[in-house]
Amino acid sequence: MAGKPQAEKAVERFPELGCFAVAVRRIVYEKGMTLDNAIKKSGISKSAWFAGMAGSGGKPTRLPSLASFFAIADGLGITPEELIAAMRKEAGVREKSNGERAENDE
Protein backbone atom coordinates (compact mmCIF):
# COMPACT_ATOMS: atom_id res chain seq x y z
CA MET A 1 0.00 0.00 0.00
CA ALA A 2 1.44 3.35 -1.02
CA GLY A 3 1.81 6.23 1.41
CA LYS A 4 0.25 9.63 1.07
CA PRO A 5 1.31 11.77 -1.86
CA GLN A 6 4.09 14.22 -1.06
CA ALA A 7 1.84 17.26 -1.56
CA GLU A 8 -0.72 15.88 0.90
CA LYS A 9 1.98 15.28 3.51
CA ALA A 10 3.28 18.81 3.05
CA VAL A 11 -0.21 20.31 3.50
CA GLU A 12 -0.73 18.33 6.69
CA ARG A 13 2.43 19.87 8.11
CA PHE A 14 1.97 23.33 6.57
CA PRO A 15 -1.78 23.99 6.02
CA GLU A 16 -1.13 27.25 4.20
CA LEU A 17 0.23 25.27 1.24
CA GLY A 18 -3.31 24.02 0.66
CA CYS A 19 -4.44 27.62 0.29
CA PHE A 20 -2.04 28.58 -2.49
CA ALA A 21 -4.62 28.60 -5.28
CA VAL A 22 -7.24 30.39 -3.16
CA ALA A 23 -4.74 33.07 -2.14
CA VAL A 24 -3.62 33.59 -5.75
CA ARG A 25 -7.21 33.88 -6.99
CA ARG A 26 -8.04 36.35 -4.20
CA ILE A 27 -5.02 38.52 -5.00
CA VAL A 28 -5.87 38.53 -8.72
CA TYR A 29 -9.43 39.60 -7.87
CA GLU A 30 -8.41 42.23 -5.27
CA LYS A 31 -5.92 43.79 -7.68
CA GLY A 32 -8.51 43.87 -10.47
CA MET A 33 -6.21 41.86 -12.71
CA THR A 34 -7.16 39.28 -15.24
CA LEU A 35 -5.72 35.83 -14.78
CA ASP A 36 -4.22 35.96 -18.27
CA ASN A 37 -2.47 39.24 -17.45
CA ALA A 38 -1.03 37.83 -14.21
CA ILE A 39 0.21 34.75 -16.05
CA LYS A 40 1.85 36.87 -18.77
CA LYS A 41 3.53 39.08 -16.16
CA SER A 42 4.87 36.01 -14.37
CA GLY A 43 6.82 34.92 -17.45
CA ILE A 44 5.90 31.26 -17.01
CA SER A 45 3.66 29.13 -19.18
CA LYS A 46 -0.02 28.62 -18.45
CA SER A 47 0.69 24.95 -17.82
CA ALA A 48 3.33 25.81 -15.20
CA TRP A 49 0.96 28.34 -13.62
CA PHE A 50 -1.93 25.90 -13.39
CA ALA A 51 0.30 23.03 -12.27
CA GLY A 52 0.77 24.98 -9.05
CA MET A 53 -2.99 25.25 -8.69
CA ALA A 54 -3.67 21.51 -9.15
CA GLY A 55 -6.10 19.93 -6.73
CA SER A 56 -9.05 21.29 -4.84
CA GLY A 57 -10.49 21.64 -1.39
CA GLY A 58 -7.16 22.51 0.18
CA LYS A 59 -5.69 19.21 -1.01
CA PRO A 60 -3.36 19.99 -3.89
CA THR A 61 -2.18 17.08 -5.98
CA ARG A 62 1.11 18.88 -6.53
CA LEU A 63 2.80 22.05 -5.39
CA PRO A 64 4.49 24.72 -7.48
CA SER A 65 8.25 24.59 -7.84
CA LEU A 66 10.14 27.28 -5.99
CA ALA A 67 10.89 29.02 -9.27
CA SER A 68 7.20 28.97 -10.24
CA PHE A 69 6.21 30.24 -6.80
CA PHE A 70 8.53 33.25 -7.16
CA ALA A 71 7.37 33.85 -10.75
CA ILE A 72 3.70 33.72 -9.73
CA ALA A 73 4.31 36.21 -6.91
CA ASP A 74 6.11 38.46 -9.40
CA GLY A 75 3.23 38.16 -11.87
CA LEU A 76 0.86 39.23 -9.10
CA GLY A 77 3.07 42.24 -8.37
CA ILE A 78 3.85 41.12 -4.83
CA THR A 79 6.81 39.63 -2.99
CA PRO A 80 7.03 35.92 -2.19
CA GLU A 81 6.70 36.89 1.47
CA GLU A 82 3.43 38.68 0.75
CA LEU A 83 2.14 35.59 -1.06
CA ILE A 84 3.08 33.39 1.91
CA ALA A 85 1.31 35.85 4.24
CA ALA A 86 -1.82 35.68 2.05
CA MET A 87 -1.69 31.87 2.11
CA ARG A 88 -1.33 31.89 5.90
CA LYS A 89 -4.25 34.29 6.22
CA GLU A 90 -6.42 31.98 4.13
CA ALA A 91 -5.38 29.00 6.26
CA GLY A 92 -5.68 30.82 9.58
CA VAL A 93 -2.07 30.06 10.42
CA ARG A 94 0.35 32.46 12.02
CA GLU A 95 3.83 32.34 13.46
CA LYS A 96 4.26 32.84 17.19
CA SER A 97 7.06 35.16 18.22
CA ASN A 98 9.27 32.18 19.12
CA GLY A 99 8.91 30.71 15.64
CA GLU A 100 6.30 28.09 16.51
CA ARG A 101 3.19 27.74 14.41
CA ALA A 102 -0.30 28.31 15.79
CA GLU A 103 -3.84 28.41 14.52
CA ASN A 104 -5.43 31.86 14.57
CA ASP A 105 -8.08 32.28 17.23
CA GLU A 106 -9.81 35.02 15.27
Side-chain angles (χ1 to χ4, degrees):
M1 182 171 164
K4 293 181 181 177
Q6 186 176 4
E8 189 176 332
K9 288 180 188 177
V11 171
E12 284 179 1
R13 185 163 180 208
F14 303 104
E16 59 269 40
L17 291 174
C19 296
F20 178 69
V22 173
V24 168
R25 282 192 298 269
R26 183 178 306 277
I27 293 165
V28 167
Y29 174 77
E30 288 174 353
K31 288 185 163 263
M33 303 173 80
T34 65
L35 193 55
D36 281 338
N37 192 5
I39 293 169
K40 285 177 187 170
K41 285 183 176 185
S42 75
I44 61 175
S45 68
K46 281 187 178 185
S47 62
W49 179 284
F50 288 111
M53 310 294 164
S56 62
K59 296 190 180 209
T61 54
R62 56 184 290 201
L63 298 171
S65 69
L66 189 56
S68 291
F69 183 89
F70 273 72
I72 289 169
D74 192 51
L76 295 171
I78 61 175
T79 66
E81 294 83 3
E82 290 171 312
L83 182 49
I84 291 168
M87 292 162 57
R88 285 188 170 148
K89 182 178 177 183
E90 292 292 337
V93 175
R94 63 180 168 80
E95 295 285 329
K96 290 183 180 178
S97 60
N98 62 0
E100 292 179 13
R101 300 165 60 75
E103 296 293 321
N104 280 341
D105 297 327
E106 301 170 37

